[in-house]
Amino acid sequence: MTSPVLYWLRQDLRLADNVAFAAAAARGPVIFLHVLDDGTPGEWRMGGASRWWLHRSLEALGTMAPLMLRRGAADRVIAEVLRETGASSVHFARDYAPWAEGLERRVKAACEANGATCHRYSGYLLHEPETIRNGAGEPYRVYTPFSKACFAAGEPRVPRGVPDFTPWTVTLAGDRLADWDLLPTRPNWAKGFETHWTPGEEGARVRLQSFIEDGLAHYADDRDRPDLDVTSRLSPHLHFGEISPAQCWHAVRAAQARAGGKLDRAAEKFLKEVLWREFSYHLLHHWPTLPLEPFRPEFSAFPWSDNPEGLSAWQKGQTGYPIVDAGMRELWATGIMHNRVRMIAASFLIKDLLVPWQQGERWFWDTLVDADIASNAASWQWVAGCGADAAPYFRIFNPVLQGEKFDAKGAYVRKWVPELSRMPDDFIHKPWEAPRLVLQAAGVELGNNYPHPVVDHAKARDRALAAFQEIKGTA
Ligand code: FAD
């Protein structure tokens, strides 16, 4: 009997365009192993919303291939499975988290100790972080030249289909997915997720298809509008590897070619956003402390305030600033938040409330279905002004003006903050300025069914700028 090969599934929960899986499938009957390893990442144990997604994604994958599920340190589990099955080789996709390299080394040692060969593949990114360098041979710190270098590197490889494969059919001990307790129970805060998402490879494919048909044409002009469904919403699918960035890239290029020039601007814009994901991973690889420490060290001395009430109001969507509250409630209900609103909400936490960006990053880590160690850290640092190529600290979003600009009719706010649904457009983003009779007619009682603003933005802005002055001398 041919000995089996072990395919270790990580953040690549798909069968198509999967180099690691294709290589395993070409060698012999495949054992599909997924390990729930809560120990290795330490403080970056997977958050609640991601756990919900993982459950559903494994459920979907389990309908296409028999999965062996085990819990524990991945290197230890892989050694066990090698001993039990006599598998001749182990195949997996590279992970870029700061703890991954050490783990991959231990897996290699486990393979050697058990007489199996060990094979690591790329596929999570379009470009390996080591390959994109500036003229001096150093990693980029600025997005625009980085993205130009990516475009100059040429089109990514053409995606492949699902290879022929034979699953290994010998039954082995494994966990039941249900016993992993990935889904919330009491309370079931993920009820709303079920209607918004279809995790899994097929869900990702359908999402990409519908984005190309309905969203792409409007992407360049309307991607900043949270009231419209224009962006791809592919981020959780990309995060879990249910679709590869190369599949997204080429699908958009193909649509662009079919449209004969009409989609050029939209396609370029979309591909540049995909390159922000690449840039985040580039930064994380070269600066592995990115999720914890400011990229610009002078920000370590920033005089943050201890503001648990502010943090709690922000988390609950009760700041009194409608666009911020709408975003935070969308996040809680669906596990996602529109990119523009993420920027506004993050800026509010960091600059209006002076809460350290790491606390917002933590909350997003737990509540986003697309929570991603690289994109989350890079984006929080970008908003905080302490990241590579970040928005300058003194550029402080005004939540009222941002709301009026990007949600002019207040449709997004009305959807997620229903207590304001009858407010007229003129006051939807600043209910505290509405005359008493207008509030009354809209059924809004400030301080009763909707909060007064937790801070005065103008004063908060001055306070933030004064705080920045304290470290500016060192900047
Ligand atoms: P689209 O506009 O359709 O973009 C296509 C893809 O490009 C996305 O799916 C995503 O993979 C990538 N992308 C787009 N914008 C960015 C960006 N600014 N940075 C990195 N990649 C990007 N994104 C995450 O995937 N995970 C996170 O944990 C995360 N945390 C964030 C925290 C903050 C404070 C901010 C401001 C942004 C964060 N982002 C994060 C980036 C961005 O908000 C999301 O990628 C985007 O909203 C996902 O929606 P979409 O798939 O419809 O994006």
Side-chain angles (χ1 to χ4, degrees), residues 219 231-235 273 277 339 342 370 372 376 379:
Y219 189 79
T231 67
S232 72
R233 302 220 159 192
L234 282 165
S235 52
E273 293 307 317
R277 176 179 181 269
N339 180 59
R342 288 188 207 204
D370 67 9
D372 184 277
N376 198 32
S379 301

Side-chain angles (χ1 to χ4, degrees), residues 9-257:
L9 288 145
R10 307 173 85 190
Q11 279 173 199
D12 54 341
L13 302 179
R14 67 176 184 281
L15 300 185
D17 195 36
N18 184 332
V19 182
F21 167 56
R27 283 197 174 213
V30 182
I31 303 169
F32 294 81
L33 173 70
H34 183 73
V35 185
L36 183 63
D37 184 354
D38 274 335
T40 308
E43 59 198 327
W44 296 106
R45 180 182 185 269
M46 194 182 288
S50 300
R51 294 171 103 77
W52 173 86
W53 190 288
L54 176 65
H55 182 106
R56 291 280 179 249
S57 190
L58 289 174
E59 219 167 42
L61 191 62
T63 64
M64 300 192 291
L67 303 184
M68 183 202 282
L69 303 177
R70 293 216 179 162
R71 204 172 187 148
D75 51 325
R76 191 177 49 72
V77 172
I78 287 171
E80 269 167 25
V81 176
L82 288 175
R83 281 195 294 271
E84 288 169 31
T85 61
S88 57
S89 56
V90 176
H91 304 258
F92 57 88
R94 182 181 180 186
D95 186 334
Y96 303 86
W99 57 84
E101 220 174 296
L103 172 62
E104 289 166 6
R105 263 200 306 273
R106 291 196 298 280
V107 168
K108 190 160 188 278
C111 291
E112 280 162 7
N114 289 283
T117 54
C118 183
H119 308 265
R120 188 180 81 162
Y121 304 86
S122 55
Y124 197 66
L125 301 176
L126 298 167
H127 304 280
E128 292 307 295
E130 297 85 359
T131 60
I132 303 288
R133 302 245 172 205
N134 66 18
E138 286 163 1
Y140 284 100
R141 292 160 179 260
V142 180
Y143 167 77
T144 302
F146 170 84
S147 65
K148 284 188 178 152
C150 291
F151 279 114
E155 291 291 284
R157 60 172 179 76
V158 175
R160 313 168 185 184
V162 180
D164 288 335
F165 68 99
T166 312
W168 205 53
T169 47
V170 177
T171 311
L172 290 164
D175 298 346
R176 277 171 6 122
L177 182 57
D179 293 339
W180 279 3
D181 293 331
L182 297 172
L183 300 178
T185 45
R186 279 187 299 266
N188 179 8
W189 43 258
K191 259 188 270 172
F193 291 19
E194 308 281 352
T195 50
H196 274 86
W197 301 107
T198 310
E201 186 167 6
E202 177 59 10
R205 195 191 58 76
V206 170
R207 175 76 65 172
L208 173 62
Q209 194 57 37
S210 70
F211 167 65
I212 285 178
E213 282 163 17
D214 304 326
L216 184 58
H218 311 282
Y219 189 79
D221 293 327
D222 291 335
R223 59 178 289 278
D224 273 323
R225 296 262 311 264
D227 56 328
L228 302 177
D229 189 9
V230 162
T231 67
S232 72
R233 302 220 159 192
L234 282 165
S235 52
H237 299 286
L238 278 163
H239 170 75
F240 283 94
E242 297 167 352
I243 196 163
S244 70
Q247 286 173 304
C248 300
W249 186 285
H250 283 283
V252 166
R253 280 288 195 225
Q256 182 185 4

